[in-house]
């Protein structure tokens, strides 16, 4: 699940957080090195990766969190309103990565008020009202 500060150590650098997350996901040294390179390229955070997360803006944290969550090619990816953080350029970049994950068989659970994203990525929709299931149908009917 992508959630700001979930599993992130604010006093660790971005790079230390990447390594920590990759070790937690049981990646080999080679896989960790490849993941770091991918995340560096994807986030475009440059030298900021060597600064503590506590110095990051919300957009920078969002970039890093999404990159970490999506680099491990999860079977299930839970995204809770996070793709709205950041600029248009990064949202498009994230959307392409999400679509690649879906095309590769990843199950996406998207929690969002953004109907455009829901229509773009989902086939089935569940509308919750006051914490209860209100409507469950094709995404077009729910939207």
């Amino acid at each position: 699940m992508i959630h700001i500060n979930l599993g992130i150590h604010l006093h660790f650098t971005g790079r230390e957080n990447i390594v920590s997350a990759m070790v937690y996901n049981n990646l080999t040294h080679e896989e960790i090195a490849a993941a770091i390179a991918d995340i560096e390229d994807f986030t475009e955070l440059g030298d900021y990766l060597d600064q503590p997360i506590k110095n990051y803006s919300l957009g920078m944290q969002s970039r890093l969190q999404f990159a970490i969550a999506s680099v491990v090619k999860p079977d299930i990816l839970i995204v809770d309103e996070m793709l709205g953080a950041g600029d248009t350029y990064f949202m498009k970049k994230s959307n392409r990565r999400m679509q690649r994950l879906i095309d590769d068989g990843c199950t996406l659970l998207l929690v969002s008020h953004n109907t455009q994203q829901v229509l773009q990525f989902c086939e089935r929709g569940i509308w919750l009202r006051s914490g209860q299931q209100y409507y469950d149908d094709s995404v077009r009917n729910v939207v």
Side-chain angles (χ1 to χ4, degrees):
M1 174 179 222
I2 300 173
H3 185 281
I4 293 300
N5 298 331
L6 183 63
I8 292 291
H9 304 279
L10 294 177
H11 297 287
F12 285 12
T13 67
R15 192 173 312 281
E16 290 168 335
N17 274 287
I18 294 167
V19 171
S20 175
M22 298 305 107
V23 168
Y24 178 75
N25 281 286
N26 205 29
L27 272 65
T28 66
H29 290 298
E30 294 80 18
E31 291 169 327
I32 291 172
I36 290 170
D38 180 274
I39 292 169
E40 285 175 342
D41 180 60
F42 185 78
T43 61
E44 300 178 14
L45 291 174
D47 293 338
Y48 286 102
L49 282 176
D50 296 309
Q51 293 185 21
I53 297 288
K54 67 181 182 175
N55 297 337
Y56 285 23
S57 69
L58 184 59
M60 292 166 71
Q61 288 182 33
S62 176
R63 282 178 180 235
L64 185 61
Q65 285 284 65
F66 181 76
I68 288 171
S70 61
V71 76
V72 294
K73 312 264 188 297
D75 292 329
I76 300 171
L77 180 62
I78 302 171
V79 179
D80 186 3
E81 297 285 0
M82 286 307 299
L83 295 182
D87 57 29
T88 303
Y89 166 77
F90 187 72
M91 281 187 359
K92 287 180 181 179
K93 194 173 183 178
S94 298
N95 286 347
R96 285 191 303 272
R97 181 171 256 195
M98 285 247 303
Q99 191 60 58
R100 275 196 307 274
L101 287 169
I102 292 166
D103 292 346
D104 288 343
C106 176
T107 298
L108 171 67
L109 183 107
L110 177 61
V111 180
S112 183
H113 292 92
N114 183 328
T115 56
Q116 182 179 354
Q117 282 182 343
V118 170
L119 287 167
Q120 180 180 359
F121 294 113
C122 302
E123 297 172 5
R124 177 177 167 208
I126 299 174
W127 179 355
L128 300 177
R129 181 186 280 175
S130 300
Q132 301 296 316
Q133 182 177 312
Y134 177 71
Y135 192 54
D136 178 354
D137 201 346
S138 72
V139 73
R140 288 230 174 260
N141 289 340
V142 172
V143 169

